[in-house]
Structure formats: C-alpha cells, structure tokens
C-alpha cells in the first residue's frame, strides 16, 4: 500500500518531497491544495481529502501544526475515527503536548491502530536536505516498522522509549535551541549597538568553541537582516509554551525559557510571527528603544 502524508507546510512539503524522490509510493493531502502540486509533479498521488489518504495507505505520516488539526484529520471524536485508524500506523511528526500524544496513542490503539510519535529536530533547510533528526516513541514493533521509512527525510533516528518520551525529548532539544538562538541574537545586537564590525564579530564566533550548525545558519541571517522563514517565530512561541507547560506540570523552573517566551511574544505582537525566529531581534531592538527613551531627561 501507499504511504500517506498529510500536512505540506514549511517542513512537511520538503519532507514529503524527499520521500517521493526516494521512490516511496506516496499519497498526500494538504488543506491548501496548491501546496500539493510539487508532490504531484514528483509522482505522488494527491488525494481529495484525508479519508482517501487513510483508505489507500497502511502508514500515515502527519506533519500538522497543532492538536486541533491532528484531531480534525483523524476524525477524532466522530464515527470516522475508528474507520480511519484501524489497521494503520499513524506517525505523528509534529510537535504537540506530551499529554495530547499520550491520549492520542490510547485512542488509536483502542480503535485497532498503531501509533508512533516521531518529532524532528531541524528547520526548513535540514528538511530540504534530508538531514533532520527524528526521535521515535511508541511500542517497539511499531517503531521498528516506521524507522526505515523515515530514512529519506532524516539522517538519524533515535528510539526514545514509550510515548511521550520522544516528545519530551523534542521539548528538551527545543529549549536549548530557543535559548541558544535568542542568546546569539542578543549578542549580535550588543555588538551592533556598540559600533563593532558585525561581520568580524560573527567570524570570531564562528572560529571559536561556540560555533555550531545553528549559529552558522542563523548568524548570516542576522548580518543580512534576512528574516525569511526557516523556523517561524510564531511556531517558536508555540513550542516555548509547550515546554513551559511541561516544566510547570513537573514542578520545574525554566528561567531562561521564560525570558525567551516574553521576547517571542513581543516579536509576534510586533507583527513578525511569520518571520524566522531570528526576528526576535525586533523585540530586543524595541526594548533597547524603550530603555533609551526612559534615560532621556
């Protein structure tokens, strides 16, 4: 049977294209039909709706924005749900709350289906290059079945135990990513406002021990004020909220994350939610402007 893929957004479209180009028999659907046209050109069958995807596929990958979108596509809470998931393996590759994933697994298994959560680390560029890193959670047999299927999209996969171990791991990874990129952006702003040679500053960072694949991707964007999306600020804010909720549920402090949450909230309020996460620079610049006005006599 075909492999199903639902959700062809910033990440989903290049991921599905890598599957199609690797020869995976693919049936796809997206709420905005135009996003499916590159998949059609790559040889995938474009379905008329989610029901057709589940009708044709044994394994269905979901790369959707949030819990409501997942529940809608699955028909959760309606008679269509059992018919869609029974005898299929649902692979949830987006980022949602661990509690939602746990409940989703329970309902899918009760209806006779299998379930694997498989969130990925990486943004649009690694997605296009097939260099994502996947974290897999679920029953061992399902994880073993799904892992080889992800090879065209992911350079590495890691088994993370039962659900929601993979999503908790993804949230921990994202906590590091968010604080790291925000720190890089603030350091750039500091150098910029002190009149330093910004290119030289970034070259020094790149030559030193703090350099990373992330800094090498984001630093040139800061220098060029290039806010074209790789990972959208609004999505970062959503991830920030999920991490904070998981931290609070376990009684954990997250002081750096909390500062980042405020900054990305301000970034979205300033109208930059669809821009890349380095657009947090706008929020930092706005705070600098506020401080400067407050210091004036």
């Amino acid at each position: 049977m075909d492999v199903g893929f639902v959700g062809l957004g910033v990440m989903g479209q290049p991921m599905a294209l890598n599957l199609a180009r690797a020869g995976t028999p693919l049936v796809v659907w997206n709420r905005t039909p135009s996003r499916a046209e590159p998949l059609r050109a790559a040889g995938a069958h474009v379905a008329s709706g989610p029901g057709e995807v589940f009708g044709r596929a044994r394994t269905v990958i979901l790369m959707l924005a949030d819990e409501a979108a997942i529940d809608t596509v699955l028909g959760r809470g309606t008679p269509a749900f059992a018919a869609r998931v029974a005898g299929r393996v649902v692979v949830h590759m987006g980022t949602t709350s661990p509690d939602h994933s746990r409940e989703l697994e329970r309902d899918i298994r009760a209806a006779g289906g299998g379930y694997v959560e498989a969130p990925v680390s990486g943004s649009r560029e690694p997605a296009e290059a097939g260099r994502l890193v996947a974290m897999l959670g679920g029953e061992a047999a399902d994880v073993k079945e799904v892992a080889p299927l992800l090879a065209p999209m992911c350079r590495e996969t890691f088994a993370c135990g039962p659900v929601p171990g993979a999503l908790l791991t993804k949230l921990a990874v994202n906590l590091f990513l968010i604080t790291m990129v925000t720190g890089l952006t603030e350091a750039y702003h500091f150098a910029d406002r002190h009149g330093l040679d910004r290119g030289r500053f970034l070259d020094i960072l790149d030559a030193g021990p703090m350099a990373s694949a992330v800094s090498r991707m984001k630093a040139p964007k800061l220098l060029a004020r290039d806010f074209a999306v790789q990972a959208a600020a609004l999505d970062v804010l959503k991830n920030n909220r999920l991490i904070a909720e998981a931290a609070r549920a376990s009684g954990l402090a997250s002081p750096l994350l909390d500062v980042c949450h405020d900054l990305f909230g301000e970034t979205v309020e300033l109208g930059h939610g669809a821009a890349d996460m380095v657009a947090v620079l706008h929020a930092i610049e706005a705070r600098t402007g506020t401080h400067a006005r407050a210091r004036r006599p």
Side-chain angles (χ1 to χ4, degrees):
M1 297 180 73
D2 291 342
V3 171
F5 200 110
V6 177
L8 304 173
V10 170
M11 294 286 290
Q13 188 189 73
M15 291 166 66
L17 280 169
N18 282 330
L19 284 175
R21 289 165 180 163
T24 305
L26 208 60
V27 53
V28 305
W29 181 80
N30 192 70
R31 184 177 60 179
T32 303
S34 61
R35 298 289 299 176
E37 290 310 309
L39 273 299
R40 192 194 304 275
H45 175 79
V46 178
S48 59
E52 184 182 354
V53 175
F54 283 90
R56 294 174 61 114
R58 148 75 181 165
T59 302
V60 179
I61 295 170
L62 306 180
M63 190 61 180
L64 295 165
D66 54 35
E67 297 164 8
I70 292 169
D71 291 348
T72 298
V73 162
L74 292 176
R76 200 163 170 222
T78 75
F81 177 74
R84 287 187 180 179
V85 304
R88 283 139 182 101
V89 178
V90 176
V91 184
H92 167 30
M93 297 194 75
T95 305
T96 58
S97 75
D99 284 344
H100 177 264
S101 186
R102 186 187 288 112
E103 293 164 3
L104 192 57
E105 180 190 41
R106 178 199 64 202
D107 291 352
I108 289 173
R109 293 203 182 285
Y115 177 77
V116 174
E117 57 179 21
V120 293
S121 179
S123 57
R124 185 178 65 184
E125 187 175 305
E128 291 171 344
R131 297 198 316 268
L132 297 169
V133 175
M135 294 145 273
L136 278 59
E139 292 190 359
D142 290 335
V143 168
K144 185 177 181 181
E145 177 181 339
V146 166
L149 176 65
L150 306 185
M153 301 183 286
C154 304
R155 63 180 176 85
E156 288 197 64
T157 59
F158 293 89
C160 297
V163 172
L167 269 168
L168 285 169
T169 303
K170 170 64 186 297
L171 295 183
V173 169
N174 276 8
L175 196 161
F176 180 45
L177 172 67
I178 292 167
T179 54
M180 178 171 57
V181 173
T182 305
L184 171 65
T185 305
E186 185 175 328
Y188 175 84
H189 176 68
F190 180 90
D192 179 34
R193 293 306 172 95
H194 278 88
L196 304 180
D197 183 317
R198 295 164 299 167
R200 181 175 299 159
F201 167 67
L202 295 176
D203 287 343
I204 291 167
L205 282 183
D206 193 49
M210 289 84 74
S212 68
V214 171
S215 68
R216 288 172 178 147
M217 186 183 303
K218 298 303 185 186
K221 292 178 73 64
L222 287 166
L223 186 60
R225 295 186 73 89
D226 168 18
F227 302 112
V229 67
Q230 294 172 332
L234 185 60
D235 290 336
V236 173
L237 181 62
K238 181 198 82 169
N239 277 267
N240 205 310
R241 175 182 55 79
L242 291 173
I243 301 165
E245 289 173 353
R248 299 299 171 269
S250 299
L252 304 177
S254 55
L256 295 180
L257 181 78
D258 296 344
V259 171
C260 293
H261 190 277
D262 290 342
L263 284 167
F264 277 97
E266 292 162 24
T267 303
V268 172
E269 288 173 5
L270 289 167
H272 304 292
D276 188 71
M277 66 187 299
V278 295
V280 72
L281 179 64
H282 293 297
I284 296 171
E285 289 175 338
R287 287 197 184 192
T288 289
T290 300
H291 291 319
R293 287 191 294 273
R295 290 177 60 187
R296 290 171 188 160

